[in-house]
Amino acid sequence: TIKRKFNNLLQDVVYLWGFSDGATVAVELATTRKFKACILAAYGFTGTLPPLALQRLNGIPFWIFHSADDVIFPVKCSDTLVHSLTS
């Protein structure tokens, strides 16, 4: 079916990109495991991800960027995510 072909296409070639609050949404979407990788800039979630989310994200490549000059979200937000993903 078309839906099955589309789902396979996503897993093979589509990367998630998110900036600021969009980066937070991209992490949520990545838990569906329907994307090849996730690229984030200025991740803004201030908490820690729940264990189930971290389990679903395991093995998905992430590239995370955050400017030290960000006046909206502190770099600590991205640092916390990196720590969670690599622990």
Side-chain angles (χ1 to χ4, degrees):
T1 66
I2 291 175
K3 184 177 179 182
R4 187 177 310 135
K5 288 180 183 178
F6 181 69
N7 282 338
N8 290 339
L9 174 69
L10 286 177
Q11 291 170 336
D12 292 341
V13 298
V14 176
Y15 291 69
L16 282 171
W17 157 254
F19 175 74
S20 195
D21 285 332
T24 305
V25 173
V27 170
E28 181 70 25
L29 288 170
T31 65
T32 66
R33 301 197 59 84
K34 295 188 182 276
F35 301 92
K36 187 166 184 148
C38 195
I39 305 160
L40 309 175
Y43 180 74
F45 180 60
T46 57
T48 55
L49 295 175
L52 182 57
L54 291 170
Q55 179 183 350
R56 291 177 178 169
L57 296 171
N58 187 38
I60 297 174
F62 276 81
W63 291 274
I64 301 171
F65 305 89
H66 206 126
S67 171
D69 296 333
D70 190 335
V71 296
I72 305 297
F73 294 119
V75 175
K76 182 180 180 187
C77 295
S78 290
D79 290 344
T80 300
L81 176 64
V82 169
H83 182 329
S84 295
L85 292 170
T86 57
S87 295

